Amino acid sequence: MNDPVNRTMLLVDIEKFSDRDDVEQAFLRRMLYDVVDRTMERAGIDETLRLRADQGDSVMEFIDPNVPVPQVLRSVISELPAQLKAVNRMASRGAQMRLRTVVASGFIALDERGIWVGGDLNHACRLLDADLLRAALRERPGDVALCVSQSVWTGIVRHHHLGIPAEEFHEVTLASKNGPLPAWLLGPVPASGQAAPSPGASGPAPTPVPDASGERPGPAGGTEAGPSGGGSASTSASAPAAGPAPAAAPAPAAPPPAGIHFTGGAPAFGGSLVMGNQHGVSGGRVDGDVVMGSVGGPPRPGRASDGQAPADATPDQDAPSPDDRQPPAAGEAGPR
């Protein structure tokens, strides 16, 4: 086997080639060679700068590393669809073709039987045969679906070279017998395909906020115990929700100070009528009913029913004059 050499790889495959009869397949092969040759020539890539490997329903072009990769990509993005459209216009409906294409880079070697081999080539072939690329061609109106390898995206596409619309490429993950393969698809991702998350789109899941019961929402509508909660880690969505915490009972009012307190009404003590302000009452004894205000009992002579003297009333004859109110002598008891 020869020493590996670095090459830009262009792989082109005909859609539904095996569904055609032998005559149509032979015609499609000639069309495929013609389209690829015209595309390379229009891109300025001479035949001496590329090697070809025929795979029946597909063709592989190994392009010299001296040819800039952006030059190859621009020809596949713009020139290849134009050449294919021109050929399909002149062909019958049964002889028209659509193409899946892959642009990759890596090392390949020629074995003793003249077969090109290499791990990078195997990787490119799996991209070409991926179901997602087949679905992309099937679901779009155009006749070409293009996928580039991760190395071509990193080294060329993402730098927005002239004629290479980096914003129209989408990162995808292609399934293969050796596991998932990262790649970049030109144009919309098919509905049946799987697109990789955009950079920065994924991140740590937000921490659920515990509710009043000490639980936080869990997966599938359940709940998980909060930091201070006990019991099982999760509960069913159908479990009854915890009710609100009961309101705290009001603190009892402070007891009133000792003594007699009136908060309304007219308190009545049976017997005698007490009216006006009373000051300096000491000693003695009060017998019978005591009425404060005008509740019950006959009014005092010369007084209205509310205990007040009428406007035209004369001074109370029974009331002592200020001169008569002499303090009792020492040792004498007050009036009984």
Side-chain angles (χ1 to χ4, degrees), residues 101-117:
T101 60
V102 168
V103 175
S105 63
F107 292 90
I108 58 174
L110 196 64
D111 67 6
E112 294 79 3
R113 295 176 295 176
I115 304 299
W116 291 100
V117 295

Side-chain angles (χ1 to χ4, degrees), residues 107 117-124 126:
F107 292 90
V117 295
D120 294 330
L121 178 58
N122 293 339
H123 181 93
R126 293 190 181 103

Side-chain angles (χ1 to χ4, degrees), residues 21-296:
D21 58 33
D22 294 345
V23 175
E24 291 175 340
Q25 288 184 4
F27 178 75
L28 291 176
R29 282 170 54 84
R30 293 195 300 270
M31 288 179 59
L32 178 61
Y33 276 85
D34 188 42
V35 167
V36 173
D37 287 339
R38 290 184 184 180
T39 300
M40 295 291 100
E41 291 172 3
R42 294 294 296 270
I45 304 173
D46 189 78
E47 188 176 354
T48 60
L49 298 175
R50 53 193 174 96
L51 300 172
R52 174 172 289 173
D54 192 344
Q55 302 296 316
D57 62 344
S58 64
V59 64
M60 298 185 296
E61 295 281 343
F62 305 120
I63 304 171
D64 192 280
N66 291 320
V67 177
V69 178
Q71 183 177 345
V72 177
L73 269 176
R74 280 191 291 265
S75 66
V76 175
I77 293 173
S78 59
E79 190 61 35
L80 181 62
Q83 293 295 331
L84 179 59
K85 183 177 180 180
V87 171
N88 280 336
R89 289 183 60 186
M90 303 302 294
S92 63
R93 183 178 297 275
Q96 294 185 358
M97 65 180 181
R98 308 176 78 213
L99 304 176
R100 302 191 313 277
T101 60
V102 168
V103 175
S105 63
F107 292 90
I108 58 174
L110 196 64
D111 67 6
E112 294 79 3
R113 295 176 295 176
I115 304 299
W116 291 100
V117 295
D120 294 330
L121 178 58
N122 293 339
H123 181 93
C125 290
R126 293 190 181 103
L127 295 181
L128 184 69
D129 196 48
D131 290 337
L132 187 143
L133 186 58
R134 294 177 183 271
L137 180 59
R138 184 172 57 249
E139 296 180 14
R140 65 181 54 181
D143 293 329
V144 179
L146 171 62
C147 182
V148 301
S149 64
Q150 183 69 37
S151 60
V152 172
W153 160 264
T154 303
I156 304 298
V157 176
R158 72 183 183 94
H159 298 289
H160 296 267
H161 291 283
L162 181 64
I164 301 176
E167 68 280 357
E168 297 182 16
F169 282 82
H170 298 88
E171 186 178 8
V172 294
T173 301
L174 308 182
S176 73
K177 62 181 181 181
N178 296 112
L181 298 176
W184 291 81
L185 178 69
L186 177 62
V189 178
S192 57
Q194 177 184 1
S198 302
S202 61
T207 303
V209 180
D211 58 15
S213 63
E215 297 180 342
R216 56 176 176 265
T223 58
E224 297 179 358
S228 60
S232 60
S234 61
T235 60
S236 171
S238 60
I260 299 176
H261 301 271
F262 301 105
T263 58
F269 300 88
S272 304
L273 179 66
V274 179
M275 301 177 60
N277 296 330
Q278 306 297 320
H279 302 279
V281 178
S282 62
R285 183 177 62 189
V286 178
D287 296 324
D289 297 334
V290 177
V291 179
M292 294 184 177
S294 58
V295 179

